[in-house]
Amino acid sequence: MAQFSISSLSPPPPPSSSWSSSPLQLQRRVFFRSFTAKASSPSLACSRSDPKVVVTRERGKNGKLINALAKHGINCLELPLIEHTHLPDLDRLPSVLSNNAFDWIIITSPEAGLVFLDAWKAAGTPKVKVGVVGTGTATIFEEVAQSPKCSIDVAFAPSKAIGKVLAAELPKHGSGKCTVLYPASAKASNEIEEGLANRGFEVTRLNTYTTVPVHHVDQLILKQALFAPVVTVASPSAIRAWVNLISESEHWDNSVACIGETTALAAKSLGLRNVYHPTNPGLEGWLDSILEALSVHDQFQKVQ
């Protein structure tokens, strides 16, 4: 697994699989239902100048992935599928941080990390110890952690970057009460707080934000996206939004490159095929999954 540079992390149990950029270690899932899109004009057919990869995070949050793909000569099309909206619990978060001391703050996505940092600053930057789900989430804290007076200690990441493993491995010191603050998306499952509660943790969950589909999608951009070999998605909400967009089409069977296993499982439940994801979420593994999907697509095109 990639090493964290922002602080010393509590050593988790030995990982079940090692981080590797080798495509052989990427997990590919193939499913059976397909969706379809027909070309409305010959000009929409793929050509050398057409984008190979569709990036679907909110506008302004796709830069790192676009730049990483550009180094491989891969052109991208930006098609944001979801947007984030704040919920009332976010207004409570600064006072909760100011008036309470927690043994752990659990952050399970980059967006949750950004929302938390704003509230933490509003609370006066109290000293906190943070557990993150993986390297991608940990990078959100890199800039603030470089400050010599930083009071955020990113002290734990699980051996596998998924919620149920985090809940199983989060250190619990002694037999006394161990408190956890879990600021999260309203759409996040309950597996983390349930898993921690079963181990004796006292968990306070605040639903600070949620995700909703974008209100408007440019139909010309969507038509171009339907012909790109690979669509990238970083959350179950994004893959649901994509399926809703293509549900009117008769057939769509290109590849989906997911940031991690949780999103890939959501793709499976929606019946998509040719789904790729890395063993551990993060930009490096995500990039490897995209490159593998493109390689398979190119090989298929050569034999046609």
Side-chain angles (χ1 to χ4, degrees):
M1 192 172 81
Q3 297 297 312
F4 293 90
S5 61
I6 54 183
S7 72
S8 298
L9 300 176
S10 299
S16 56
S17 60
S18 61
W19 183 277
S20 173
S21 61
S22 169
L24 296 177
Q25 300 221 359
L26 298 170
Q27 301 300 307
R28 183 183 178 196
R29 302 290 185 266
V30 180
F31 309 115
F32 303 103
R33 182 181 163 208
S34 62
F35 298 88
T36 316
K38 285 185 177 179
S40 58
S41 71
S43 64
L44 292 174
C46 284
S47 69
R48 289 184 180 180
S49 61
D50 286 329
K52 296 293 186 181
V53 175
V54 181
V55 294
T56 63
R57 279 177 158 169
E58 284 184 289
R59 197 169 301 280
K61 297 183 179 180
N62 294 297
K64 288 184 178 180
L65 183 58
I66 290 173
N67 291 337
L69 288 166
K71 292 178 181 178
H72 293 268
I74 297 168
N75 187 28
C76 294
L77 175 70
E78 190 168 26
L79 178 67
L81 294 178
I82 61 169
E83 56 191 13
H84 296 88
T85 59
H86 291 164
L87 296 177
D89 275 357
L90 179 59
D91 296 330
R92 296 177 49 208
L93 184 53
S95 62
V96 169
L97 288 168
S98 298
N99 300 327
N100 301 273
F102 295 91
D103 294 300
W104 289 102
I105 311 291
I106 297 302
I107 304 295
T108 57
S109 72
E111 184 64 26
L114 291 170
V115 171
F116 170 77
L117 281 175
D118 286 342
W120 172 76
K121 292 173 184 177
T125 66
K127 186 175 182 179
V128 294
K129 185 165 66 172
V130 174
V132 296
V133 76
T135 55
T137 301
T139 58
I140 297 301
F141 297 93
E142 283 182 344
E143 183 176 352
V144 69
Q146 291 173 0
S147 168
K149 297 182 179 180
C150 178
S151 53
I152 290 183
D153 177 18
V154 181
F156 171 77
S159 60
K160 189 173 184 181
I162 55 177
K164 63 183 178 182
V165 178
L166 184 151
E169 297 179 351
L170 186 71
K172 186 174 185 289
H173 306 294
S175 58
K177 182 175 69 173
C178 192
T179 58
V180 172
L181 176 63
Y182 176 35
S185 165
K187 292 186 176 179
S189 73
N190 296 324
E191 66 179 3
I192 287 180
E193 62 259 43
E194 290 176 355
L196 290 173
N198 289 337
R199 293 180 55 209
F201 287 85
E202 184 178 296
V203 183
T204 299
R205 173 169 175 165
L206 296 180
N207 292 325
T208 55
Y209 71 99
T210 191
T211 55
V212 296
V214 294
H215 297 298
H216 172 73
V217 174
D218 186 296
Q219 292 303 301
L220 291 177
I221 294 178
L222 175 60
K223 287 179 180 179
Q224 194 176 14
L226 289 167
F227 288 96
V230 180
V231 173
T232 65
V233 286
S235 68
S237 295
I239 194 61
R240 286 191 290 267
W242 175 249
V243 169
N244 287 337
L245 285 175
I246 65 176
S247 61
E248 299 299 323
S249 303
E250 292 180 14
H251 181 70
W252 184 85
D253 59 2
N254 286 343
S255 297
V256 178
C258 302
I259 196 170
E261 182 179 359
T262 300
T263 304
L265 290 173
K268 173 183 177 180
S269 71
L270 294 168
L272 293 178
R273 55 185 295 171
N274 300 327
V275 177
Y276 297 77
H277 73 88
T279 302
N280 286 296
L283 182 63
E284 294 178 40
W286 199 10
L287 177 62
D288 288 339
S289 295
I290 295 166
L291 295 177
E292 185 193 9
L294 287 171
S295 176
V296 173
H297 170 81
D298 291 343
Q299 291 172 17
F300 180 76
Q301 293 297 311
K302 289 178 181 179
V303 299
Q304 283 190 321

